[in-house]
């Protein structure tokens, strides 16, 4: 189609789309000399070699990428004991680095060890975040070093949140019972300890 005839056709489309009281819409297809086609959605104004849409196109929201989620709104509870200022600074630093809510980290630390860096469970879990030796080794941290213990625990919690799509309750269950148990049972495992663990932290943080 010659340029002059094409311009006349384009103007006709613009005119037709503006007629009537309804919100008419037309798509204009321009075929270049090399055979390529360009689609102009809606009324388009042609000025020489340039084009400009008559209507501003609506912005389209980008779909969320993989691994994105809406974090649960957590309530900071009051604890009978306070986390030591130095340990709390480690929590804030680690939470910022790994993108985990520090409120959640403190709740896990309280449930695990009552904020005691010297705590060792009968099963051998160590420190504030109660890291098992094998888990600490996998994370590459020294569980007896308070800072490394907290950083390791927060890093592990971050991986669990990502694995379970940001579901805090499933991440908590995985922190207690292991991620494979949660995957195998397709939810919180039917272990009394794990269910009580998730229930206690969820109620403390007002997670519904």
């Amino acid at each position: 189609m010659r340029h002059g005839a094409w311009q006349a056709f384009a103007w006709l489309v613009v005119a037709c789309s503006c007629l009537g009281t309804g919100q008419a819409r037309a798509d204009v297809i321009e075929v270049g000399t090399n055979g390529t086609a360009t689609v102009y959605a809606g009324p388009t104004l042609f000025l020489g070699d340039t084009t400009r849409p008559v209507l501003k196109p609506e912005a389209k929201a980008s779909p969320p990428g993989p691994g994105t989620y809406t974090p649960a709104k957590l309530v900071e509870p009051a604890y009978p004991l306070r986390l030591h200022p130095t340990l709390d600074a480690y929590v804030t630093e680690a939470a910022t680095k790994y993108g985990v809510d520090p409120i959640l980290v403190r709740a896990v630390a309280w449930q695990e060890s009552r904020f005691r860096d010297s705590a060792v469970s009968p099963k051998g879990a160590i420190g504030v975040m109660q890291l098992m030796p094998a888990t600490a080794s996998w994370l590459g941290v020294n569980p007896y070093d308070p800072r490394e213990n907290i950083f390791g625990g927060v890093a592990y919690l971050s991986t669990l949140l990502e694995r379970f799509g940001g579901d805090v309750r499933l991440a908590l269950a995985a922190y207690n019972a292991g991620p494979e148990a949660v995957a195998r049972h397709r939810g919180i495992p039917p272990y009394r300890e794990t269910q009580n663990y998730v229930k206690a932290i969820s109620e403390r943080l007002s997670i519904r």
Side-chain angles (χ1 to χ4, degrees):
M1 184 180 292
R2 288 178 301 175
H3 185 69
W6 166 248
Q7 273 197 321
F9 172 68
W11 278 108
L12 178 62
V13 171
V14 172
C16 290
S17 65
C18 296
L19 291 176
T21 57
Q23 294 183 345
R25 173 173 176 169
D27 288 346
V28 177
I29 302 177
E30 177 183 13
V31 180
T33 56
N34 60 354
T36 60
T38 303
V39 178
Y40 299 93
T44 304
L45 180 64
F46 288 80
L47 300 172
D49 294 330
T50 64
T51 59
R52 186 177 64 196
V54 176
L55 301 178
K56 184 178 180 180
E58 296 181 0
K60 294 184 179 180
S62 301
T68 60
Y69 61 90
T70 303
K73 185 176 181 181
L74 308 180
V75 175
E76 181 78 271
Y79 296 106
L81 302 174
R82 293 180 64 85
L83 184 60
H84 189 280
T86 301
L87 299 180
D88 195 41
Y90 295 156
V91 166
T92 301
E93 185 183 359
T96 301
K97 178 177 180 179
Y98 294 108
V100 179
D101 194 325
I103 295 176
L104 176 59
V105 178
R106 285 191 286 269
V108 171
W110 170 258
Q111 190 68 28
E112 291 286 349
S113 68
R114 298 300 189 262
F115 300 148
R116 293 181 294 122
D117 61 337
S118 60
V120 178
S121 77
K123 296 181 180 179
I126 302 163
V128 172
M129 301 299 287
Q130 289 289 277
L131 297 181
M132 294 296 290
T135 304
S137 177
W138 175 69
L139 292 166
V141 299
N142 176 6
Y144 293 100
D145 180 286
R147 184 176 184 276
E148 290 193 28
N149 184 293
I150 290 172
F151 268 71
V154 176
Y156 185 47
L157 188 57
S158 175
T159 64
L160 297 175
L161 285 166
E162 183 176 357
R163 174 167 178 174
F164 295 105
D167 190 313
V168 175
R169 290 167 57 83
L170 292 183
L172 291 173
Y175 196 95
N176 178 262
E180 298 309 319
V182 174
R184 185 170 61 252
H185 291 282
R186 299 184 179 182
I188 300 173
Y191 312 148
R192 179 176 297 179
E193 177 189 335
T194 301
Q195 292 186 345
N196 289 341
Y197 180 90
V198 173
K199 182 174 183 291
I201 297 179
S202 296
E203 290 181 349
R204 189 170 291 123
L205 301 180
S206 297
I207 299 174
R208 300 289 181 239

